[in-house]
């Protein structure tokens, strides 16, 4: 049925043709959605503009020649902010507000000099800052990054290398294990760096001994990782890798694929390794197919040759016949995925299971996503952990414990 000109003009633009975009699901859905969002929004704006321009050219201005008036409505935000907690020494507020850049620099200089760790939404004003931790004199501090002894400049930027005397990033950038006795639980939280709220929440709320893994795609990944390290968190780099259901699940434009030739995967790996400094090792992002394929061996060899380790986050199926790690690269696999079922009761049950395994074996490695619900349950669980005789230790403990062992990627 052919629409009249009146129908075309009165129907909201694009209504008949609008389709709901596919929504990614599973543990990586939040991350994939965050990576897609800018493209979807830009496409919708462009389509609406082109459609509007076409109608005006074809039909003319429907109100051309008629008298009309335009009213400008000013909308002001009048949302009251709750008063922020006042510290022991209240900061002085300047009577004349300097420029945004000057405020940002001044705030960061004060934070750096005082040792106070601050996390703020990226791009916000210093007045929106949230003070998350004031380190005690005995708190372990991470080594500055990049360390020139274990760094070199490659095609895509600065990346780690094995230093003289076999000095490794795995050792230099690792968080030292807190003193104490009792069963140990290592936790690595993945998927950070692409969602500002999730990244800031994980950095602020989780105990400093929890390790954080960052994707290479975030535009602010370097700053976010640096802030996490300032807060005492050991950090990892996530490598986008091919899953079994690729391309339905896509690790992104720099994903390491079984179909690529060795030099192509090597260049993509080098690109990822140059995204930010200070990480102790790498963690998979997707990757179930690649890790079960012979194409993974040269990648794993390069990781080890640069003084790094590799963590399998345990989200994929454990391969029945995984390729043997002949590279002597430190490798470990998470035994429990805390939010495999993303419900509060299921996460609590997985944490209880991790406790039981740690008491039985003395140590266990677990992984989790940076989703708000997961971070909340871990933070609640960790509040009185010491009273239960358990300790959280950095995930690098699993890799440094595997040093000089021939470990299967499935172990």
């Amino acid at each position: 049925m052919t629409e009249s000109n009146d129908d075309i003009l009165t129907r909201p633009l694009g209504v008949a043709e609008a389709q709901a975009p596919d929504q990614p699901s599973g543990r990586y859905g939040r991350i994939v959605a965050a990576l897609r969002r800018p493209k979807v929004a830009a496409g919708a704006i462009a389509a609406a503009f082109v459609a509007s321009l076409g109608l005006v050219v074809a039909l003319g201005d429907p109100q051309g020649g008629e008298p009309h008036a335009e009213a400008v409505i000013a909308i002001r935000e009048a949302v009251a902010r709750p008063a922020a907690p006042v510290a022991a020494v209240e900061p002085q507020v300047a009577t004349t507000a300097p420029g945004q850049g000057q405020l940002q620099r001044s705030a960061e200089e004060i934070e750096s000099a005082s040792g106070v760790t601050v996390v703020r939404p990226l791009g916000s004003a210093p007045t929106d800052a949230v003070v998350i931790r004031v380190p005690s004199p005995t708190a372990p501090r991470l080594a500055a990054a990049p360390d020139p002894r274990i760094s070199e400049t490659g095609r895509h930027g600065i990346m780690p290398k094995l230093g003289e005397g076999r000095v490794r990033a795995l050792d230099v950038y690792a968080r030292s294990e807190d003193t104490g006795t009792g069963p140990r639980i290592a936790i690595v939280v993945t998927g950070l760096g692409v969602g500002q709220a999730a990244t800031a929440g994980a950095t602020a709320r989780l105990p400093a001994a929890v390790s954080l893994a960052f994707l290479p795609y975030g535009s602010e990944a370097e700053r976010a990782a640096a802030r996490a390290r300032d807060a005492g968190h050991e950090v990892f780099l996530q490598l986008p890798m091919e899953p079994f259901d690729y391309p339905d699940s896509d690790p992104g434009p720099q994903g390491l694929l079984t179909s690529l030739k060795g030099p192509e995967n090597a260049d993509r790996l080098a690109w990822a390794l140059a995204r930010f400094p200070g990480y102790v090792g790498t963690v998979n992002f997707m990757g179930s197919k690649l890790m079960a394929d012979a194409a993974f061996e040269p990648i794993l060899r390069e990781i080890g040759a640069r003084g790094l380790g590799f963590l399998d986050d345990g989200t994929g199926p454990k391969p029945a016949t995984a390729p043997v790690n002949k590279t002597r690269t430190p490798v470990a696999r998470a035994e429990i995925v805390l939010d495999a079922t993303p419900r509060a009761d299921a996460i609590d049950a997985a944490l209880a299971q991790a406790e039981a395994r740690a008491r039985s074996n003395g140590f266990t490695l677990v992984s989790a996503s940076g989703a708000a619900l997961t971070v909340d349950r871990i933070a609640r669980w960790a509040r009185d952990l010491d009273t239960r005789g358990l300790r959280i230790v950095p995930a690098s403990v699993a890799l440094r414990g595997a040093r000089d062992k021939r470990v299967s990627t499935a172990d």
Side-chain angles (χ1 to χ4, degrees):
M1 177 172 137
T2 304
E3 291 183 300
S4 67
N5 289 343
D6 290 338
D7 293 333
I8 295 173
L9 291 174
T10 57
R11 188 188 68 208
L13 288 175
V15 167
E17 294 78 13
Q19 298 288 336
D22 293 336
Q23 297 298 320
S25 59
R27 175 174 180 175
Y28 301 115
R30 174 182 59 83
I31 302 167
V32 175
L35 293 173
R36 288 181 181 174
R37 194 173 297 118
K39 298 180 181 178
V40 174
I45 293 170
F49 175 77
V50 172
S52 301
L53 182 61
L55 284 174
V56 172
V57 172
L59 303 174
D61 184 354
Q63 295 186 8
E66 296 184 9
H68 63 280
E70 295 182 359
V72 178
I73 302 174
I75 300 176
R76 297 183 179 180
E77 180 179 357
V79 180
R81 293 179 178 271
V86 180
V89 179
E90 183 174 355
Q92 299 297 317
V93 180
T95 55
T96 302
Q100 173 72 20
Q102 182 179 350
L103 276 173
Q104 184 74 22
R105 287 193 300 273
S106 299
E108 290 181 349
E109 288 169 2
I110 293 171
E111 294 158 15
S112 177
S114 65
V116 175
T117 299
V118 176
V119 174
R120 62 175 61 84
L122 299 178
S124 65
T127 53
D128 294 331
V130 178
V131 179
I132 63 172
R133 188 174 293 111
V134 178
S136 68
T138 59
R141 297 188 64 83
L142 302 183
D147 186 321
R149 298 175 300 161
I150 52 173
S151 303
E152 66 179 6
T153 302
R155 175 183 175 185
H156 300 286
I158 297 175
M159 55 184 185
K161 70 170 185 177
L162 191 64
E164 293 185 13
R166 300 193 63 80
V167 177
R168 305 182 302 175
L170 178 56
D171 301 313
V172 173
Y173 298 138
R175 176 187 168 93
S176 60
E177 185 176 341
D178 296 338
T179 59
T181 58
R184 303 173 301 164
I185 300 176
I187 304 174
V188 57
V189 172
T190 64
L192 303 177
V194 295
Q196 297 178 15
T199 302
T203 302
R205 299 199 61 199
L206 294 173
V210 172
S211 301
L212 306 182
F214 291 81
L215 285 159
Y217 293 131
S219 61
E220 294 284 346
E222 182 172 356
R223 290 187 65 186
R227 286 170 174 163
R229 297 185 78 250
D230 288 342
H233 295 282
E234 173 183 270
V235 301
F236 284 78
L237 166 70
Q238 280 196 273
L239 295 178
M241 303 191 300
E242 181 180 357
F244 279 115
D245 59 347
Y246 176 81
D248 292 337
S249 294
D250 192 341
Q254 295 291 334
L256 305 173
L257 307 176
T258 58
S259 60
L260 294 180
K261 295 180 180 179
E264 293 176 276
N265 270 335
D267 186 68
R268 292 188 176 195
L269 175 61
W271 176 87
L273 293 175
R275 291 309 90 203
F276 59 87
Y279 50 90
V280 299
T282 59
V283 184
N284 61 298
F285 173 62
M286 303 188 184
S288 54
K289 182 176 181 180
L290 181 70
M291 288 189 290
D293 193 273
F296 186 52
E297 184 175 334
I299 295 169
L300 196 61
R301 182 184 303 111
E302 179 68 7
I303 291 170
R306 292 193 171 276
L308 305 167
F310 179 81
L311 285 182
D312 179 346
D313 68 4
T315 55
K318 188 174 182 179
T321 57
V324 175
N325 175 14
K326 300 177 182 178
T327 64
R328 302 178 70 86
T329 300
V331 176
R333 176 182 168 92
E335 300 173 80
I336 299 171
V337 179
L338 296 178
D339 52 357
T341 302
R343 295 195 322 267
D345 61 331
I347 295 171
D348 292 345
L351 286 166
Q353 182 185 359
E355 278 196 38
R357 185 163 296 190
R359 294 184 190 280
S360 175
N361 301 333
F363 173 82
T364 189
L365 170 66
V366 302
S367 75
S369 75
L373 173 63
T374 305
V375 169
D376 178 70
R377 302 318 300 177
I378 296 174
R380 290 171 181 267
W381 165 81
R383 286 175 187 169
D384 60 348
L385 197 64
D386 55 343
T387 65
R388 303 199 300 277
L390 293 114
R391 291 185 295 140
I392 298 176
V393 296
S396 63
V397 168
L399 295 172
R400 286 181 282 154
R403 186 175 182 177
D404 296 331
K405 295 180 182 179
R406 295 182 181 270
V407 183
S408 167
T409 56
D411 291 343

